[in-house]
Amino acid sequence: MADVSFSGRSPRADRARLALLAGSLLALVAALLIAATGGWAGAVAQVRLSMRSPRGAVLTGGVLVLAWVVAALRAGALRRDLEALGHHAERLLPRVPALLAACTFVAAWWLGTPSPAGADASGYLSQAALWAHGQLWVQDVLATLPGWPEASMASVPLGWRPALMPAAQVPTYAAGLPLLMAPLWAMGGDAAARLVVVGAAAALVAATGALGRAAAGAGGGAVAAALIVASPTVWHQSLGVMSDVPAAAAWALAWHGVTRQHAAQTGVMTAMAVLVRPNLAPLALLACWALPSWAGRRTMAMWTAAAGLTVAALQWHWYGSPLQSGYGSTSELFSTANIVTNLRLYSGWMLEAEWTMVAAAAVICAGALAHAAARPRVAYRWPVLWFTAGVAAAYLIYAPFERWTYLRFLLPAWPWLAAGAGWAVSRLISGWSGPRSAAAALALVVVLVSTGLWRARQLDVWTFTPLADRIVLLARELQPRLKDPTVMVAGEQSGAIRHLTGMPIIRWDLLDTATLEAALAAVRRAGWQVWWVLDQSEEVLVRERHPTLASRPIDRPADLAAGRLLETRAWREP
C-alpha cells in the first residue's frame, strides 16, 4: 500500500484534521453501540460511571464533525482528508476480525456468568468437576437409604441419569466440553472453566474472519467476522456455559485448517467438534474430502477416528451401547416426521432473531446472480455447501423445540454463511477503488454489529446473566444454613443446587405424590435435614402436581429468596 502524503502547508494541521474526523466517527460508532445495547453502568476504582444514553456520544461526534468541516474548508482539504481516511480504512480492514474477536472475548467475559442455572450449564459444569476428580460416575447416596422408593429418577438431577450399575448416576451430556473445562475447573472452579466458552466465542469470530478472507480478501473477512458478532444466538450462547459456541468454533477452526491445507489442525479441531457434538460426526467426511492430499486425509481421519472411538467407549460404559447417547436412542431423537414442524420453527426463528444472517443469505444470492461467472476463491466449495446443508438437515429431523434460542443448533453453519456473505459483498463492490471499498466495508461492519446488538437487546439477551446469577446468590446464602446430612427437593434447579451445595436432591417434578411422600419419609427417618428450592414459576406447578402432599413448606413464606427478574426461593422443613 502506497503511503499517503499531504500537500498542505502544515502536516501538523493535516493530522489534527484527520484526528477530528476519526474522533467524530468513533463517537458516532459509540453512539450506535450504546443505542443498540442499552449502554453500560458500573464502577471503576470505586467511581461510578454510566453510559446509558447515546446523546452524549452523538453530541460529541457532531461537534467534532463540525470542527473538521470548518478546518477542512479553510484549508481546502475536504476531499484530501476523505481520501486519506479511506487509505487508513484500507490499512485497518485486515485487522478488523482480530479486533472484533478481542472485543467479543472481553464482552462475553464481562457480561456473562459462570452460573450453573438450568440443565445445560449445571450438566456441563458438574461433569467438568467429575472429570477433574478423575471419576466417571457419582454415587447416589439416597438410593441406599432404608425405605427408599423404587423410582430410578427420584434423586437424579437435571443433566444426569441413572447409571447401569446400582446406586450411581452418570452425565447426560456429551463429554467434549466438560473435558476441555476440567483442567481449568480444577484450578479455579466454575469461573475458570467458563474461559473455554469465552475463548471459543472469540475463536469463532476470528476463524470466521479468516474463512471470509480466504474466500474474498480483507473486506470479506471483516464482513464475515461482523456477522458472527451481530448474531443474537451467538451472544446468548456465549454468556453462560453452553456447548454450542465451542462446537461452532471447533468446526470453524477445522475449516480454517482446510483453507491452510493444514491437516493436523483440521484433524484436531474436527476431533474436538465430534467430542463436543457427536451427532454431527458424519460431517467430518466433508472436511476430509476438502483436504487436497491423501496424506492429509489420513492424518485427519486418525484424529477423527480417535474422537469417535472415545465417544463410543464412553456411551458404551455409561449407557450400555456405543450408539446410545445420554439423551436417548437415535430412533427416539430423530425422525423425518419432524421436518415440516422444524422447517416452520427454524424459518420463523430466523426472521424473529437473526435478521443479519437472513440478510447475509439474501446478499449471497444477489452476489451469485450479479457475478455468476465469478466463483469464490476456494477449491472446496462443494464440501462447504454440503456441510452447511448437512448441519441444517441434522436438526430438521431432530426433536422440535419451542424457542428461538434453539437456533444454537445451527451455529456450526454460521461461519460459512457469514464467509459467503463476505464474498458476495466483495463482489458487489468490486468495481470501487480500494479506499472506497474499504470504507464501505467498515461502514457495513458498524451497521451489522449495531443492528445485531440492538436485536439482541430486544430479545432480552442481556438479561441472561442477572437471571442466571440468582441461583448462585441463593446458594451462597443457603450454604451456611445447611447441616450434614441435608437433602434438597428441587426441579428446574436440581442440577445447579446439587453442584453448588454438594447435597443430594429429590425430584418433585418426576415423582407422583405417593412416591414423593415415601422418599421424604425415608430421609426424615434417617435424620436428614430437608430444604425445598424452587423457581418462582414452579410453585404453582408443585401445588397442582402434589395437592395432597402432607408436608408442603411452600405454603408459608420462603426462608430465603434471590433474584430480581425471577426469584428462586428456599424453604427449610421444620
Side-chain angles (χ1 to χ4, degrees), residues 399-432:
F401 294 88
E402 295 295 334
R403 191 164 182 258
W404 72 267
T405 54
Y406 285 93
L407 284 171
R408 61 192 176 91
F409 292 152
L410 304 183
L411 287 184
W414 259 218
W416 276 121
L417 182 59
W423 167 81
V425 167
S426 296
R427 298 308 307 168
L428 291 172
I429 63 175
S430 58
W432 298 6

Side-chain angles (χ1 to χ4, degrees), residues 105-201:
F105 183 93
V106 172
W109 177 257
W110 193 2
L111 299 175
T113 175
S115 169
D120 293 308
S122 65
Y124 291 123
L125 287 168
S126 57
Q127 190 185 156
L130 185 79
W131 287 111
H133 289 103
Q135 299 173 343
L136 289 174
W137 50 272
V138 298
Q139 184 181 3
D140 185 353
V141 295
L142 297 182
T144 62
L145 292 178
W148 185 254
E150 293 292 332
S152 61
M153 296 298 294
S155 56
V156 179
L158 287 172
W160 292 76
R161 58 180 288 166
L164 299 176
M165 66 188 78
Q169 298 169 6
V170 294
T172 296
Y173 296 107
L177 179 59
L179 281 170
L180 291 172
M181 294 193 300
L184 291 172
W185 191 94
M187 291 186 287
D190 294 349
R194 199 176 77 86
L195 280 170
V196 174
V197 179
V198 175

Side-chain angles (χ1 to χ4, degrees), residues 2-49:
D3 289 336
V4 180
S5 60
F6 300 103
S7 57
R9 290 178 297 178
S10 172
R12 181 177 297 177
D14 287 338
R15 288 193 294 269
R17 288 195 313 274
L18 279 180
L20 287 172
L21 182 55
S24 68
L25 293 177
L26 288 175
L28 294 174
V29 168
L32 280 173
L33 294 178
I34 292 170
T37 62
W40 170 82
V44 176
Q46 297 184 341
V47 177
R48 179 150 183 90
L49 301 175

Side-chain angles (χ1 to χ4, degrees), residues 509-558:
D509 54 327
L510 298 182
L511 305 178
D512 57 44
T513 302
T515 307
L516 180 57
E517 288 274 25
L520 290 171
V523 296
R524 289 170 189 148
R525 283 194 303 269
W528 289 57
Q529 184 185 63
V530 179
W531 279 82
W532 288 65
V533 177
L534 302 174
D535 282 342
Q536 187 177 352
S537 57
E538 291 182 285
E539 294 173 28
V540 64
L541 301 178
V542 172
R543 293 186 177 95
E544 290 174 354
R545 186 176 180 89
H546 304 290
T548 61
L549 190 65
S551 175
R552 201 168 58 184
I554 65 170
D555 292 330
R556 60 176 171 79

Side-chain angles (χ1 to χ4, degrees), residues 120-366:
D120 293 308
S122 65
Y124 291 123
L125 287 168
S126 57
Q127 190 185 156
L130 185 79
W131 287 111
H133 289 103
Q135 299 173 343
L136 289 174
W137 50 272
V138 298
Q139 184 181 3
D140 185 353
V141 295
L142 297 182
T144 62
L145 292 178
W148 185 254
E150 293 292 332
S152 61
M153 296 298 294
S155 56
V156 179
L158 287 172
W160 292 76
R161 58 180 288 166
L164 299 176
M165 66 188 78
Q169 298 169 6
V170 294
T172 296
Y173 296 107
L177 179 59
L179 281 170
L180 291 172
M181 294 193 300
L184 291 172
W185 191 94
M187 291 186 287
D190 294 349
R194 199 176 77 86
L195 280 170
V196 174
V197 179
V198 175
L204 177 61
V205 174
T208 302
L211 294 178
R213 184 165 187 170
V223 171
L227 280 166
I228 298 298
V229 177
S231 170
T233 309
V234 169
W235 280 109
H236 191 270
Q237 301 308 304
S238 300
L239 298 181
V241 182
M242 301 286 283
S243 67
D244 304 275
V245 167
W251 279 115
L253 289 167
W255 284 106
H256 178 239
V258 171
T259 66
R260 298 174 59 220
Q261 299 184 16
H262 198 298
Q265 176 183 334
T266 303
V268 170
M269 290 297 107
T270 302
M272 189 178 297
V274 169
L275 287 170
V276 174
R277 188 70 66 78
N279 67 304
L280 296 182
L283 299 182
L285 293 172
L286 296 169
C288 188
W289 171 20
L291 288 169
S293 69
W294 283 106
R297 291 170 183 168
R298 282 194 300 271
T299 299
M300 184 202 158
M302 289 173 58
W303 282 102
T304 308
L309 290 172
T310 301
V311 170
L314 285 173
Q315 293 184 164
W316 200 345
H317 179 76
W318 283 343
Y319 317 125
S321 168
L323 301 179
Q324 175 89 10
S325 76
Y327 304 104
S329 65
T330 302
S331 61
E332 293 171 334
L333 297 173
F334 298 94
S335 171
T336 55
N338 298 327
I339 292 176
V340 174
T341 300
N342 280 328
L343 272 174
R344 174 180 58 81
L345 289 172
Y346 282 108
S347 58
W349 292 338
M350 289 294 293
L351 293 173
E352 176 188 1
E354 291 291 347
W355 294 357
T356 52
M357 281 297 174
V358 172
V363 168
I364 291 172
C365 294

Side-chain angles (χ1 to χ4, degrees), residues 280 283 286 382-396 410 413:
L280 296 182
L283 299 182
L286 296 169
W382 286 112
V384 166
L385 290 172
W386 281 111
F387 175 82
T388 305
V391 172
Y395 290 105
L396 286 178
L410 304 183

